[in-house]
Structures are given as C-alpha cells and as structure tokens.
Amino acid sequence: MLPSLKCIRIAARAAAGMALGTQIAFAQQSSTRSHWLNSPASRVEALAVLQTLNANLLSNASATLTLDRWCAAHKLAPEGSKIVAQRVRGQDKPADDHIRELLTVGPGELIAYRHVRLVCGDRVLSEADNWYLPAKLTAAMNHALKTSDIAFGRAVQALNFTRTNLSAKLLWSPLSEGWDIDGLVAHETSSPSLQPFLLEHRAVLKLRDGTPFSAVVESYTDNVLDFPVPRLLSR
C-alpha cells in the first residue's frame, strides 16, 4: 500500500509540475502576443508584419513553403522544423457548383477533399480547405496525401505548379479604419487581444499548362505573430 501511495504522490507532483509549466508557457505566449497591442507604434508594426506575410503568400505558388520560411525566420519552432499537415476528419465539405466551376470539371469528376491545420513545431499557423483532382496527380502524390501528414504544397511540389489568387482578406486589423488620415486614437493604446484568424486567402492551383487541379481556402492564425515585437531602432 505504501509504495502505491508514494507512486501516486510522485505522479501527482509531476502532473502539477506539468500543469504549472503549461500555464507558464501559455502566459508567456499570451504576453508575447499582447505586446503587439500595447502602443500605437507596435500596432503599426503588427500591420506591417501582417502585410509582409500577405505579400509573401500572394507572390509565391506554395503557401507551405512560404510558411516554412516564415516559421524559420521568426523562430516559431526548433531549427529545422518544417510545416506538417494535421488532418481534421469528420468535417468534409463536398465540392459545390462553384468549386467545380473553378476546377473546370463536371458533376461526374472525382474531387477529393482535405481539411488540415498547417503546423510548425507546436504552433498552428493556418487552417485550409482543399478540393483537388486526384486524376491530375501522380499515384505517389495521392498515396502520400491519403496516408501521411505531408502538406499539400510539399506533396505536389514536383508539378511545378502556379497559383492564381482569387481573394486576400485581412480578417483583423490592429488599427482602426481611417487611421492613415485621422491619426491614431487614444483607445488604440489598449485593446482586446488578437483575433484567432488574421488573414484569409482563396486561390486556385494550376499545372504549367494552366489546367486547374486544386481550389483552396486558407485562414492564417494569430500564431503567425507569436514572436517578440520588433525593436524600433534609431539611426
């Protein structure tokens, strides 16, 4: 009985330690994010960073490879980490007429669906809905997409595909509308926390001959800003 009681106490202490560690990590992470909103200057920086990410995503065919570089540059995960796709199952969205129109296929053509969270280290950087045409991919690509956590952009990278952006929407702005004309108002020195999703992109991926093979909706999370606020340097 005594050895069992001792084991229980040890396990309880370990669990308490893990819980405390989690609370500290969460508090540090929340603190890092809140610093983006502590002053007008940091809000302008947040907007600049968001628009930099926005431009990077819009100017590159693969969101996966862009997030690889973003994660590495901002040290959001241990060195060498790559984007992996966490499959979200049970939330399938059958292709509607609009998706079929984007992919230029009729009602009889098979369209596969993948809902994933793109993760670097322990941070979810985006969620994506992806409707794609298995017939346009190789057998190896289809197998990898069905059986592994590989991100779509990495799985089909050999296709040397292009991207046609349909829309890019800022879901949250650190500054009020008209700030560039009216200036920053007092309430912008303290504000609610960042929204869960900051950017939304819609795009179609195409083969080199212009044939569409994938339609995506990508929502980028507040974790893309989960690094220390840049220091303003005077020169």
PDB file of all heavy atoms in Angstrom, residues 3-4 11 18 27 33 36 38 40 53 64 69 79 97 109 133 145 161 165 177 220 229 233:
ATOM      1  N   PRO A   3       4.089   1.718  -1.044  1.00  0.00           N
ATOM      2  CA  PRO A   3       4.716   2.019  -2.327  1.00  0.00           C
ATOM      3  C   PRO A   3       3.723   2.610  -3.312  1.00  0.00           C
ATOM      4  O   PRO A   3       4.042   3.516  -4.069  1.00  0.00           O
ATOM      5  CB  PRO A   3       5.237   0.655  -2.795  1.00  0.00           C
ATOM      6  CG  PRO A   3       5.429  -0.120  -1.539  1.00  0.00           C
ATOM      7  CD  PRO A   3       4.316   0.320  -0.647  1.00  0.00           C
ATOM      8  N   SER A   4       2.487   2.112  -3.315  1.00  0.00           N
ATOM      9  CA  SER A   4       1.481   2.626  -4.236  1.00  0.00           C
ATOM     10  C   SER A   4       1.153   4.080  -3.916  1.00  0.00           C
ATOM     11  O   SER A   4       1.014   4.920  -4.808  1.00  0.00           O
ATOM     12  CB  SER A   4       0.210   1.785  -4.166  1.00  0.00           C
ATOM     13  OG  SER A   4       0.470   0.464  -4.575  1.00  0.00           O
ATOM     14  N   ALA A  11       3.406  10.925  -8.870  1.00  0.00           N
ATOM     15  CA  ALA A  11       2.678  11.210 -10.112  1.00  0.00           C
ATOM     16  C   ALA A  11       1.911  12.521  -9.992  1.00  0.00           C
ATOM     17  O   ALA A  11       1.839  13.307 -10.940  1.00  0.00           O
ATOM     18  CB  ALA A  11       1.718  10.070 -10.442  1.00  0.00           C
ATOM     19  N   MET A  18       3.781  19.669 -14.544  1.00  0.00           N
ATOM     20  CA  MET A  18       3.461  19.811 -15.960  1.00  0.00           C
ATOM     21  C   MET A  18       2.398  20.873 -16.171  1.00  0.00           C
ATOM     22  O   MET A  18       2.482  21.685 -17.093  1.00  0.00           O
ATOM     23  CB  MET A  18       2.984  18.476 -16.528  1.00  0.00           C
ATOM     24  CG  MET A  18       4.071  17.422 -16.629  1.00  0.00           C
ATOM     25  SD  MET A  18       3.436  15.825 -17.167  1.00  0.00           S
ATOM     26  CE  MET A  18       2.868  16.238 -18.807  1.00  0.00           C
ATOM     27  N   ALA A  27       1.088  31.659 -20.504  1.00  0.00           N
ATOM     28  CA  ALA A  27       1.165  33.058 -20.078  1.00  0.00           C
ATOM     29  C   ALA A  27       2.227  33.805 -20.862  1.00  0.00           C
ATOM     30  O   ALA A  27       2.029  34.955 -21.280  1.00  0.00           O
ATOM     31  CB  ALA A  27       1.465  33.128 -18.573  1.00  0.00           C
ATOM     32  N   ARG A  33       2.010  37.976 -27.429  1.00  0.00           N
ATOM     33  CA  ARG A  33       1.018  38.471 -28.373  1.00  0.00           C
ATOM     34  C   ARG A  33       0.456  39.813 -27.938  1.00  0.00           C
ATOM     35  O   ARG A  33       0.229  40.696 -28.755  1.00  0.00           O
ATOM     36  CB  ARG A  33      -0.104  37.447 -28.510  1.00  0.00           C
ATOM     37  CG  ARG A  33       0.350  36.151 -29.146  1.00  0.00           C
ATOM     38  CD  ARG A  33      -0.763  35.140 -29.153  1.00  0.00           C
ATOM     39  NE  ARG A  33      -0.300  33.862 -29.685  1.00  0.00           N
ATOM     40  CZ  ARG A  33      -1.026  32.770 -29.702  1.00  0.00           C
ATOM     41  NH1 ARG A  33      -2.244  32.777 -29.219  1.00  0.00           N
ATOM     42  NH2 ARG A  33      -0.551  31.648 -30.205  1.00  0.00           N
ATOM     43  N   TRP A  36       1.987  43.236 -28.910  1.00  0.00           N
ATOM     44  CA  TRP A  36       1.732  43.846 -30.205  1.00  0.00           C
ATOM     45  C   TRP A  36       0.704  44.969 -30.096  1.00  0.00           C
ATOM     46  O   TRP A  36       0.609  45.815 -30.976  1.00  0.00           O
ATOM     47  CB  TRP A  36       1.210  42.798 -31.186  1.00  0.00           C
ATOM     48  CG  TRP A  36       2.258  41.863 -31.699  1.00  0.00           C
ATOM     49  CD1 TRP A  36       2.501  40.606 -31.271  1.00  0.00           C
ATOM     50  CD2 TRP A  36       3.202  42.117 -32.743  1.00  0.00           C
ATOM     51  NE1 TRP A  36       3.536  40.043 -31.986  1.00  0.00           N
ATOM     52  CE2 TRP A  36       3.983  40.956 -32.906  1.00  0.00           C
ATOM     53  CE3 TRP A  36       3.450  43.212 -33.564  1.00  0.00           C
ATOM     54  CZ2 TRP A  36       5.008  40.851 -33.841  1.00  0.00           C
ATOM     55  CZ3 TRP A  36       4.470  43.117 -34.508  1.00  0.00           C
ATOM     56  CH2 TRP A  36       5.234  41.951 -34.633  1.00  0.00           C
ATOM     57  N   ASN A  38       0.249  47.045 -27.296  1.00  0.00           N
ATOM     58  CA  ASN A  38       0.475  47.914 -26.136  1.00  0.00           C
ATOM     59  C   ASN A  38       0.721  49.371 -26.493  1.00  0.00           C
ATOM     60  O   ASN A  38       0.703  50.227 -25.627  1.00  0.00           O
ATOM     61  CB  ASN A  38       1.661  47.389 -25.312  1.00  0.00           C
ATOM     62  CG  ASN A  38       1.268  46.180 -24.477  1.00  0.00           C
ATOM     63  OD1 ASN A  38       0.094  45.854 -24.383  1.00  0.00           O
ATOM     64  ND2 ASN A  38       2.243  45.513 -23.901  1.00  0.00           N
ATOM     65  N   PRO A  40       0.665  52.518 -29.981  1.00  0.00           N
ATOM     66  CA  PRO A  40       0.405  52.785 -31.401  1.00  0.00           C
ATOM     67  C   PRO A  40       1.538  52.299 -32.296  1.00  0.00           C
ATOM     68  O   PRO A  40       1.297  51.775 -33.383  1.00  0.00           O
ATOM     69  CB  PRO A  40       0.263  54.308 -31.433  1.00  0.00           C
ATOM     70  CG  PRO A  40      -0.213  54.678 -30.069  1.00  0.00           C
ATOM     71  CD  PRO A  40       0.492  53.718 -29.147  1.00  0.00           C
ATOM     72  N   LEU A  53       3.660  39.294 -44.544  1.00  0.00           N
ATOM     73  CA  LEU A  53       3.259  37.898 -44.740  1.00  0.00           C
ATOM     74  C   LEU A  53       2.269  37.783 -45.894  1.00  0.00           C
ATOM     75  O   LEU A  53       2.376  36.882 -46.731  1.00  0.00           O
ATOM     76  CB  LEU A  53       2.642  37.348 -43.457  1.00  0.00           C
ATOM     77  CG  LEU A  53       2.043  35.941 -43.553  1.00  0.00           C
ATOM     78  CD1 LEU A  53       3.104  34.922 -43.951  1.00  0.00           C
ATOM     79  CD2 LEU A  53       1.382  35.542 -42.239  1.00  0.00           C
ATOM     80  N   THR A  64       2.718  26.437 -48.309  1.00  0.00           N
ATOM     81  CA  THR A  64       3.509  25.572 -47.428  1.00  0.00           C
ATOM     82  C   THR A  64       4.945  26.046 -47.337  1.00  0.00           C
ATOM     83  O   THR A  64       5.499  26.218 -46.241  1.00  0.00           O
ATOM     84  CB  THR A  64       3.483  24.116 -47.935  1.00  0.00           C
ATOM     85  OG1 THR A  64       2.144  23.647 -47.969  1.00  0.00           O
ATOM     86  CG2 THR A  64       4.324  23.216 -47.033  1.00  0.00           C
ATOM     87  N   ARG A  69       9.448  29.133 -44.517  1.00  0.00           N
ATOM     88  CA  ARG A  69      10.408  30.237 -44.393  1.00  0.00           C
ATOM     89  C   ARG A  69      10.003  31.197 -43.278  1.00  0.00           C
ATOM     90  O   ARG A  69      10.855  31.685 -42.526  1.00  0.00           O
ATOM     91  CB  ARG A  69      10.529  30.973 -45.731  1.00  0.00           C
ATOM     92  CG  ARG A  69      11.161  30.143 -46.842  1.00  0.00           C
ATOM     93  CD  ARG A  69      11.427  30.970 -48.074  1.00  0.00           C
ATOM     94  NE  ARG A  69      10.208  31.347 -48.783  1.00  0.00           N
ATOM     95  CZ  ARG A  69       9.644  30.622 -49.740  1.00  0.00           C
ATOM     96  NH1 ARG A  69      10.196  29.472 -50.115  1.00  0.00           N
ATOM     97  NH2 ARG A  69       8.547  31.037 -50.347  1.00  0.00           N
ATOM     98  N   GLU A  79      14.928  24.803 -34.710  1.00  0.00           N
ATOM     99  CA  GLU A  79      15.619  24.902 -36.003  1.00  0.00           C
ATOM    100  C   GLU A  79      15.444  23.621 -36.818  1.00  0.00           C
ATOM    101  O   GLU A  79      15.545  22.519 -36.292  1.00  0.00           O
ATOM    102  CB  GLU A  79      17.106  25.170 -35.773  1.00  0.00           C
ATOM    103  CG  GLU A  79      17.883  25.451 -37.049  1.00  0.00           C
ATOM    104  CD  GLU A  79      19.326  25.843 -36.769  1.00  0.00           C
ATOM    105  OE1 GLU A  79      19.679  26.001 -35.575  1.00  0.00           O
ATOM    106  OE2 GLU A  79      20.094  25.988 -37.736  1.00  0.00           O
ATOM    107  N   ASP A  97     -21.105  23.591 -56.807  1.00  0.00           N
ATOM    108  CA  ASP A  97     -21.008  24.014 -58.206  1.00  0.00           C
ATOM    109  C   ASP A  97     -19.898  25.044 -58.408  1.00  0.00           C
ATOM    110  O   ASP A  97     -19.226  25.055 -59.450  1.00  0.00           O
ATOM    111  CB  ASP A  97     -22.342  24.600 -58.671  1.00  0.00           C
ATOM    112  CG  ASP A  97     -23.436  23.550 -58.782  1.00  0.00           C
ATOM    113  OD1 ASP A  97     -23.093  22.343 -58.834  1.00  0.00           O
ATOM    114  OD2 ASP A  97     -24.628  23.918 -58.797  1.00  0.00           O
ATOM    115  N   GLU A 109     -16.908  14.142 -62.274  1.00  0.00           N
ATOM    116  CA  GLU A 109     -15.471  14.089 -61.990  1.00  0.00           C
ATOM    117  C   GLU A 109     -15.226  13.983 -60.482  1.00  0.00           C
ATOM    118  O   GLU A 109     -15.822  14.721 -59.683  1.00  0.00           O
ATOM    119  CB  GLU A 109     -14.779  15.336 -62.531  1.00  0.00           C
ATOM    120  CG  GLU A 109     -13.269  15.349 -62.380  1.00  0.00           C
ATOM    121  CD  GLU A 109     -12.556  14.606 -63.491  1.00  0.00           C
ATOM    122  OE1 GLU A 109     -13.205  14.340 -64.513  1.00  0.00           O
ATOM    123  OE2 GLU A 109     -11.367  14.312 -63.325  1.00  0.00           O
ATOM    124  N   LEU A 133      -8.117  17.500 -57.586  1.00  0.00           N
ATOM    125  CA  LEU A 133      -8.437  16.471 -58.571  1.00  0.00           C
ATOM    126  C   LEU A 133      -7.370  15.378 -58.530  1.00  0.00           C
ATOM    127  O   LEU A 133      -6.262  15.574 -59.031  1.00  0.00           O
ATOM    128  CB  LEU A 133      -8.496  17.083 -59.973  1.00  0.00           C
ATOM    129  CG  LEU A 133      -9.507  18.211 -60.173  1.00  0.00           C
ATOM    130  CD1 LEU A 133      -9.376  18.805 -61.581  1.00  0.00           C
ATOM    131  CD2 LEU A 133     -10.933  17.711 -59.924  1.00  0.00           C
ATOM    132  N   LEU A 145      -0.852  11.907 -49.832  1.00  0.00           N
ATOM    133  CA  LEU A 145      -1.905  12.774 -49.303  1.00  0.00           C
ATOM    134  C   LEU A 145      -2.918  11.987 -48.483  1.00  0.00           C
ATOM    135  O   LEU A 145      -3.499  12.512 -47.527  1.00  0.00           O
ATOM    136  CB  LEU A 145      -2.607  13.505 -50.447  1.00  0.00           C
ATOM    137  CG  LEU A 145      -1.766  14.586 -51.138  1.00  0.00           C
ATOM    138  CD1 LEU A 145      -2.458  15.068 -52.406  1.00  0.00           C
ATOM    139  CD2 LEU A 145      -1.502  15.763 -50.202  1.00  0.00           C
ATOM    140  N   PHE A 161       3.805  23.831 -59.976  1.00  0.00           N
ATOM    141  CA  PHE A 161       2.516  24.469 -60.222  1.00  0.00           C
ATOM    142  C   PHE A 161       2.560  25.983 -60.054  1.00  0.00           C
ATOM    143  O   PHE A 161       3.510  26.541 -59.488  1.00  0.00           O
ATOM    144  CB  PHE A 161       1.452  23.865 -59.296  1.00  0.00           C
ATOM    145  CG  PHE A 161       1.742  24.033 -57.830  1.00  0.00           C
ATOM    146  CD1 PHE A 161       1.278  25.128 -57.126  1.00  0.00           C
ATOM    147  CD2 PHE A 161       2.484  23.071 -57.132  1.00  0.00           C
ATOM    148  CE1 PHE A 161       1.534  25.285 -55.769  1.00  0.00           C
ATOM    149  CE2 PHE A 161       2.748  23.215 -55.776  1.00  0.00           C
ATOM    150  CZ  PHE A 161       2.278  24.319 -55.094  1.00  0.00           C
ATOM    151  N   ASN A 165      -4.449  33.762 -57.422  1.00  0.00           N
ATOM    152  CA  ASN A 165      -5.114  34.241 -56.215  1.00  0.00           C
ATOM    153  C   ASN A 165      -6.469  34.843 -56.575  1.00  0.00           C
ATOM    154  O   ASN A 165      -6.580  35.667 -57.485  1.00  0.00           O
ATOM    155  CB  ASN A 165      -4.240  35.279 -55.519  1.00  0.00           C
ATOM    156  CG  ASN A 165      -2.936  34.697 -55.022  1.00  0.00           C
ATOM    157  OD1 ASN A 165      -2.938  33.782 -54.210  1.00  0.00           O
ATOM    158  ND2 ASN A 165      -1.812  35.215 -55.513  1.00  0.00           N
ATOM    159  N   GLU A 177     -10.114  51.815 -39.015  1.00  0.00           N
ATOM    160  CA  GLU A 177     -10.255  52.308 -40.380  1.00  0.00           C
ATOM    161  C   GLU A 177     -10.074  53.826 -40.408  1.00  0.00           C
ATOM    162  O   GLU A 177     -10.608  54.543 -39.567  1.00  0.00           O
ATOM    163  CB  GLU A 177     -11.632  51.924 -40.926  1.00  0.00           C
ATOM    164  CG  GLU A 177     -11.824  52.251 -42.383  1.00  0.00           C
ATOM    165  CD  GLU A 177     -13.159  51.768 -42.913  1.00  0.00           C
ATOM    166  OE1 GLU A 177     -13.905  51.128 -42.134  1.00  0.00           O
ATOM    167  OE2 GLU A 177     -13.458  52.031 -44.083  1.00  0.00           O
ATOM    168  N   TYR A 220      -5.229  32.128 -41.867  1.00  0.00           N
ATOM    169  CA  TYR A 220      -3.974  32.209 -41.116  1.00  0.00           C
ATOM    170  C   TYR A 220      -4.234  32.698 -39.696  1.00  0.00           C
ATOM    171  O   TYR A 220      -4.949  33.687 -39.487  1.00  0.00           O
ATOM    172  CB  TYR A 220      -2.983  33.110 -41.854  1.00  0.00           C
ATOM    173  CG  TYR A 220      -2.616  32.516 -43.192  1.00  0.00           C
ATOM    174  CD1 TYR A 220      -3.362  32.813 -44.331  1.00  0.00           C
ATOM    175  CD2 TYR A 220      -1.600  31.588 -43.291  1.00  0.00           C
ATOM    176  CE1 TYR A 220      -3.075  32.218 -45.551  1.00  0.00           C
ATOM    177  CE2 TYR A 220      -1.293  30.995 -44.514  1.00  0.00           C
ATOM    178  CZ  TYR A 220      -2.038  31.309 -45.629  1.00  0.00           C
ATOM    179  OH  TYR A 220      -1.761  30.701 -46.833  1.00  0.00           O
ATOM    180  N   VAL A 229       7.857  41.523 -30.321  1.00  0.00           N
ATOM    181  CA  VAL A 229       7.663  42.716 -31.138  1.00  0.00           C
ATOM    182  C   VAL A 229       9.021  43.261 -31.581  1.00  0.00           C
ATOM    183  O   VAL A 229       9.942  43.351 -30.772  1.00  0.00           O
ATOM    184  CB  VAL A 229       6.911  43.801 -30.322  1.00  0.00           C
ATOM    185  CG1 VAL A 229       6.731  45.057 -31.150  1.00  0.00           C
ATOM    186  CG2 VAL A 229       5.569  43.271 -29.850  1.00  0.00           C
ATOM    187  N   LEU A 233      14.573  50.891 -33.980  1.00  0.00           N
ATOM    188  CA  LEU A 233      15.961  51.351 -33.877  1.00  0.00           C
ATOM    189  C   LEU A 233      16.083  52.785 -34.397  1.00  0.00           C
ATOM    190  O   LEU A 233      15.551  53.117 -35.452  1.00  0.00           O
ATOM    191  CB  LEU A 233      16.898  50.439 -34.666  1.00  0.00           C
ATOM    192  CG  LEU A 233      16.853  48.956 -34.273  1.00  0.00           C
ATOM    193  CD1 LEU A 233      17.768  48.138 -35.194  1.00  0.00           C
ATOM    194  CD2 LEU A 233      17.278  48.766 -32.820  1.00  0.00           C
TER     195      LEU A 233
END
